[in-house]
Amino acid sequence: MNNHVGVEDVLKSILALLKHIQRVEQEIVVLTQKSSGVLIQEITDQKIVINDNILEAIQLQDIISQQFGAIAIAIDDIEKHVIVHMHAMRTDNAILHTSIEKLYTKMVDSLDEAKKKQDSFTGNSLLAAENRTDEIEFF
């Protein structure tokens, strides 16, 4: 792992965790559906009278499957929002980088202009005149 961890790294980690949660959720849905199928098949094969407890257990398994479906939808939405945010963040960073480059160029140009002006005024200053040897003396 490198020494610099940024926001994008954290967001990528969150996306990886969400993918893992999705895989686990999908496995649980499949297992729940298989379990419900086996129970219903056994009830049918054994001609078991369905009482309130058995009916409630079957309904609970159906509710569990539905809730896992809702989790999957929520995870999909979160992933989409994180991906959009990462794209916007990259775009914003690119715009910021371009703006900083433009600012840098303008600042360098301003400094060059200021130095040129200083040099042109320095040529007429008393200090510069003291160092000159091509002076003309007036009587």
Side-chain angles (χ1 to χ4, degrees):
M1 186 171 175
N2 68 26
N3 295 336
H4 178 72
V5 177
V7 173
E8 189 168 346
D9 297 315
V10 172
L11 293 175
K12 285 180 181 178
S13 295
I14 290 171
L15 287 175
L17 285 168
L18 290 173
K19 287 289 185 195
H20 173 73
I21 292 168
Q22 274 183 322
R23 283 191 297 273
V24 171
E25 176 269 332
Q26 289 167 351
E27 289 173 9
I28 291 172
V29 167
V30 169
L31 292 173
T32 303
Q33 289 171 346
K34 282 184 182 180
S35 173
S36 293
V38 169
L39 287 174
I40 292 170
Q41 186 64 45
E42 284 299 314
I43 290 170
T44 304
D45 290 349
Q46 300 297 322
K47 297 181 179 151
I48 298 173
V49 176
I50 298 177
N51 61 27
D52 289 342
N53 287 338
I54 293 173
L55 184 59
E56 183 180 1
I58 293 171
Q59 289 173 338
L60 288 174
Q61 284 197 320
D62 185 48
I63 290 169
I64 290 169
S65 292
Q66 291 174 12
Q67 292 300 318
F68 276 114
I71 290 170
I73 291 169
I75 289 173
D76 285 341
D77 286 346
I78 292 169
E79 282 181 323
K80 288 174 188 171
H81 292 302
V82 168
I83 289 169
V84 166
H85 178 75
M86 287 173 59
H87 176 71
M89 191 174 65
R90 287 182 194 130
T91 303
D92 290 349
N93 284 340
I95 291 169
L96 176 63
H97 181 73
T98 301
S99 295
I100 289 174
E101 285 180 339
K102 288 178 182 177
L103 175 63
Y104 173 76
T105 301
K106 289 178 181 179
M107 296 304 291
V108 168
D109 291 346
S110 293
L111 178 61
D112 288 343
E113 185 65 27
K115 285 181 178 180
K116 286 178 187 175
K117 287 181 180 178
Q118 180 191 20
D119 289 344
S120 68
F121 290 128
T122 302
N124 295 326
S125 73
L126 190 56
L127 179 61
E130 289 177 1
N131 294 332
R132 293 177 49 182
T133 58
D134 61 342
E135 294 180 6
I136 300 175
E137 287 188 33
F138 292 99
F139 299 85

